[in-house]
Amino acid sequence: MEDIEDLLVGGGGGGPPGVRLVQPKHKKKNNNIQDSLKSYTAAKIPGTQTIYMRTFGCSHNQSDSEYMAGQLSAFGYNLTESQDEADLWLINTCTVKSPSQSAMDTLISKCRSAKKPLVVAGCVPQGSRDLKELEGVSIVGVQQIDRVVEVVEETLKGHEVRLLTRKTLPALDLPKVRRNKFVEILPINVGCLGACTYCKTKHARGHLGSYAVDSLVGRVRTVIADGVKEIWLSSEDTGAYGRDIGVNLPILLNSLVAELPSDGSTMLRIGMTNPPYILEHLKEIAEVLRHPSVYSFLHVPVQSGSDTILTAMNREYTVGEFRTVVDTLIELVPGMQIATDIICGFPGETDEDFEQTVNLIKEYQFPQVHISQFYPRPGTPAARMKKVPSNVVKKRSRELTTVFESFNPYVGMEGKIERIWITDIATDGNHLVGHTKGYIQVLVVGPETMLGISAMVKITSVGRWSVFGEVIEILTENVISHENCVDKISCSNLNETCCSKDSETCACGLTSGCEQTEKNNFSVSKDDRKPVDYRSQNLIGWLLRKRKDNSHRKVENEMVSEMEEKQRTSAKLHEWALVDKALLVGIFMSLLTIIAVFFIWN
């Protein structure tokens, strides 16, 4: 079907300007479906229905879903995690792997069986608009997420709507409902410059399109004011940023770092980047990664340890160049952590090619390796190449997984004191999730009020995928002016003294003022150990978008109040202890006096 940029008269009523309503191919059958949907939603006032959303794929897809949820919520729609309670389902899809698309197909079939109106968004409809599974379904493209309300409205009326073509990027200041209110996923560009033979994503996301530096800086200012504690830069290839608009990644990173709070309360995480586009900027990127408010972590996919296979993949780099990226960053950035990706069983991969991949993983012992089997994606060059037998692909995947799981990258961390930033609840419901400067996952026990704060922890044990820690101090950061700067106060990296009264720049490089760090001892009672899920509380309306979220300050104030109360209680106990001592001395002296008098009289 054609893209929708015009209004088609007929088909059961008009739509909003710029939206085209698709004329049914099978009029009688589709009209019955439309009549059923109309009767299903007729009893509700438009804009008050309930929407169920499901997201597949990468962090960029997650950000798109958060933007769509924000617009729907601002318009009045309710969001639910219950499929049965929903009046409409919205599925945001991923086309990277066959399993993700198969899960989408299953969900679409389930929605049809439930006779619920359905909107499909994301990379699948954008890259494969003629799929049989999408017949009779409303779809919204990856660059049309700012019009999701229109699509939902028309779909609830029983219309089939398709929005796919767009020449400009969606605005960054749209209303947003974050899955995690402390984490902002910030898309810095869409599409990529590569032409990997196995990748379907470019069919959907297209050629590189970068947001302007000023727009991204403005967004960072807004989310910091909203109380966000982690900012994830997201794209199909972070390293390619800006090449279409005359800038580059280091220019953007330095501009964003300048906006981060000087107390280290908000951290920046740089997203996935392919090797070709950061080779010329390694030293500049390393300098940014050393900044105390930037995680020393980078996701750099290698995909194969064989140059032969990399050429067949059209990855545009060699294994040697990948090694240069990794070695340079590890050398220049203390505590640097690197994650990578591997595809097992790419067409033409021999046993020797696979052995080179195994040796690469053994050599570097990456803390995170995302291992996947090759999945031929329709329409890609690799789908036409001669495939490796599926049993061989599975065997290689299992072997590489065994190799990866045979070493523990966190051995030696036991007993160490680390600063972490706590932003999430673990899946077990009993731990909170924090990350070190190197983005190592640390699980701690504590109340929900610890979310969004930074703390010092002692590592008590290590696992294969994360480490466990005990909170020993809650850090409360207060930025103070130079006029009030004491002789020596803590710097944001906690390892240096900051400045004296007359200095203008902190030892760690901060120029916006010194900061004083209060360290509060913190104990966790048994009753406080299970945190409460906060996600359902995070509905941000359009009119509240620019309002500053002071929840983190409230948490800090509560902890300070708790410490002050403990100090007052301790003082009272101390006073009673002095009285008790005085009484005991008095009683002892009285006894001595009585005994003396007794002996004198006798």
Side-chain angles (χ1 to χ4, degrees):
M1 296 182 184
E2 298 178 0
D3 297 342
I4 302 168
E5 295 300 337
D6 305 305
L7 175 64
L8 176 65
V9 179
V19 173
R20 180 177 172 187
L21 308 180
V22 176
Q23 196 72 278
K25 287 184 176 179
H26 305 289
K27 188 173 182 180
K28 184 175 181 181
K29 181 179 179 181
N30 280 357
N31 279 348
N32 289 336
I33 295 175
Q34 290 175 358
D35 291 341
S36 175
L37 294 180
K38 286 178 181 179
S39 62
Y40 182 83
T41 58
K44 293 201 174 185
I45 299 173
T48 64
Q49 291 91 340
T50 300
I51 311 295
Y52 165 76
M53 294 187 65
R54 175 71 183 275
T55 304
F56 296 94
C58 64
S59 60
H60 198 160
N61 257 24
Q62 181 64 50
S63 177
D64 286 350
S65 289
E66 292 176 353
Y67 273 124
M68 288 190 286
Q71 293 170 86
L72 292 168
S73 177
F75 194 78
Y77 290 104
N78 299 308
L79 305 177
T80 181
E81 295 184 359
S82 171
Q83 296 177 351
D84 296 333
E85 294 177 1
D87 298 304
L88 177 142
W89 292 13
L90 195 162
I91 305 173
N92 194 3
T93 60
C94 173
T95 189
V96 172
K97 299 178 183 178
S98 296
S100 296
Q101 191 162 331
S102 297
M104 176 208 75
D105 295 342
T106 301
L107 202 57
I108 289 176
S109 298
K110 186 176 180 180
C111 186
R112 290 184 191 275
S113 299
K115 297 181 179 180
K116 299 290 182 76
L118 173 64
V119 175
V120 178
C123 294
V124 171
Q126 188 74 63
S128 306
R129 63 188 68 183
D130 295 325
L131 281 177
K132 182 180 178 180
E133 290 79 6
L134 298 177
E135 289 183 3
V137 173
S138 290
I139 59 179
V140 56
V142 294
Q143 292 189 30
Q144 295 279 27
I145 59 173
D146 56 347
R147 299 180 67 182
V148 66
V149 172
E150 300 170 44
V151 177
V152 166
E153 280 189 293
E154 294 303 319
T155 304
L156 285 168
K157 294 175 184 177
H159 300 149
E160 177 190 342
V161 183
R162 297 196 162 197
L163 286 174
L164 290 171
T165 303
R166 182 69 176 268
K167 295 182 180 180
T168 58
L169 299 176
L172 292 173
D173 62 350
L174 296 169
K176 197 171 192 180
V177 173
R178 301 184 188 91
R179 183 190 66 84
N180 183 332
K181 68 179 180 179
F182 297 111
V183 176
E184 166 73 5
I185 304 173
L186 179 61
I188 63 174
N189 55 264
V190 299
C192 65
L193 294 174
C196 300
T197 56
Y198 58 86
C199 184
K200 185 78 172 178
T201 303
K202 189 165 185 177
H203 293 196
R205 296 284 182 179
H207 198 66
L208 181 67
S210 303
Y211 284 97
V213 173
D214 290 345
S215 297
L216 293 165
V217 168
R219 182 63 184 174
V220 165
R221 289 173 182 165
T222 298
V223 302
I224 290 175
D226 285 342
V228 161
K229 298 302 180 183
E230 283 188 5
I231 300 172
W232 298 358
L233 304 186
S234 178
S235 77
E236 282 64 59
D237 188 352
T238 302
Y241 170 80
R243 289 173 179 254
D244 57 322
I245 58 174
V247 294
N248 57 41
L249 182 60
I251 291 174
L252 173 65
L253 294 178
N254 285 314
S255 299
L256 298 184
V257 166
E259 299 297 327
L260 299 177
S262 60
D263 59 14
S265 58
T266 300
M267 297 293 289
L268 182 72
R269 193 185 84 172
I270 303 175
M272 185 274 290
T273 179
N274 289 312
Y277 306 114
I278 60 170
L279 278 167
E280 61 188 275
H281 302 303
L282 283 178
K283 290 185 178 180
E284 295 95 326
I285 292 174
E287 184 177 356
V288 173
L289 290 167
R290 288 196 299 267
H291 191 278
S293 295
V294 180
Y295 285 120
S296 305
F297 169 84
L298 199 60
H299 180 191
V300 187
V302 64
Q303 304 299 6
S304 175
S306 164
D307 284 338
T308 301
I309 297 304
L310 291 179
T311 300
M313 292 178 171
N314 197 28
R315 289 290 288 170
E316 301 180 342
Y317 60 86
T318 65
V319 176
E321 289 172 329
F322 171 78
R323 289 177 180 272
T324 298
V325 171
V326 174
D327 294 342
T328 302
L329 293 179
I330 290 177
E331 177 186 356
L332 297 179
V333 184
M336 183 70 196
Q337 299 285 309
I338 292 177
T340 194
D341 298 346
I342 297 292
I343 297 176
C344 291
F346 188 83
E349 183 184 65
T350 64
D351 288 342
E352 182 182 354
D353 293 326
F354 176 68
E355 188 63 27
Q356 292 176 26
T357 299
V358 172
N359 290 337
L360 184 71
I361 299 303
K362 285 182 178 179
E363 177 182 349
Y364 283 97
Q365 297 192 7
F366 298 104
Q368 298 180 36
V369 179
H370 307 115
I371 302 169
S372 64
Q373 301 172 29
F374 170 73
Y375 295 102
R377 306 303 295 133
T380 62
R384 299 189 296 270
M385 297 178 182
K386 185 178 180 180
K387 300 176 181 60
V388 176
S390 59
N391 62 320
V392 175
V393 176
K394 292 178 181 178
K395 178 177 178 295
R396 290 175 180 173
S397 176
R398 287 195 297 267
E399 181 181 341
L400 188 61
T401 300
T402 301
V403 169
F404 169 61
E405 293 179 349
S406 66
F407 50 83
N408 191 328
Y410 306 129
V411 167
M413 288 189 68
E414 297 97 330
K416 287 189 175 182
I417 306 297
E418 296 277 353
R419 181 180 183 178
I420 66 170
W421 289 261
I422 302 172
T423 57
D424 210 347
I425 300 172
T427 54
D428 65 3
N430 295 318
H431 290 85
L432 301 179
V433 180
H435 291 92
T436 67
K437 175 72 163 62
Y439 209 69
I440 297 171
Q441 181 173 274
V442 182
L443 302 180
V444 298
V445 174
E448 184 223 357
T449 51
M450 286 174 60
L451 289 167
I453 59 93
S454 181
M456 300 301 295
V457 299
K458 181 178 181 180
I459 306 302
T460 56
S461 63
V462 300
R464 179 59 188 82
W465 312 107
S466 57
V467 302
F468 294 84
E470 177 185 352
V471 177
I472 56 177
E473 293 171 336
I474 294 294
L475 301 180
T476 334
E477 294 88 359
N478 297 314
V479 179
I480 60 177
S481 64
H482 289 297
E483 289 75 17
N484 297 324
C485 188
V486 294
D487 289 342
K488 287 188 177 181
I489 56 180
S490 299
C491 202
S492 63
N493 63 5
L494 301 179
N495 293 320
E496 304 181 53
T497 54
C498 185
C499 56
S500 65
K501 237 180 191 181
D502 299 327
S503 65
E504 296 183 358
T505 305
C506 294
C508 58
L510 302 178
T511 58
S512 59
C514 303
E515 57 96 6
Q516 184 176 16
T517 303
E518 299 177 4
K519 302 180 179 180
N520 297 331
N521 294 328
F522 187 80
S523 60
V524 181
S525 67
K526 292 183 178 180
D527 295 335
D528 290 335
R529 291 193 174 188
K530 188 169 183 179
V532 179
D533 189 2
Y534 60 83
R535 294 186 178 95
S536 61
Q537 303 171 6
N538 186 30
L539 297 178
I540 304 172
W542 175 256
L543 296 177
L544 299 178
R545 178 170 54 84
K546 295 183 178 181
R547 181 179 178 182
K548 186 173 182 179
D549 184 353
N550 292 320
S551 61
H552 60 296
R553 294 184 178 179
K554 181 179 179 182
V555 171
E556 295 170 354
N557 291 337
E558 288 175 353
M559 292 177 178
V560 171
S561 298
E562 181 182 350
M563 291 302 302
E564 290 176 349
E565 181 63 28
K566 287 182 178 180
Q567 291 172 356
R568 286 194 293 269
T569 302
S570 176
K572 290 179 180 179
L573 292 174
H574 181 66
E575 291 173 1
W576 277 109
L578 291 176
V579 173
D580 291 341
K581 289 177 181 179
L583 289 173
L584 288 173
V585 171
I587 293 172
F588 180 72
M589 294 300 295
S590 298
L591 287 174
L592 288 178
T593 302
I594 292 171
I595 293 171
V597 170
F598 176 79
F599 280 108
I600 291 172
W601 282 98
N602 290 291

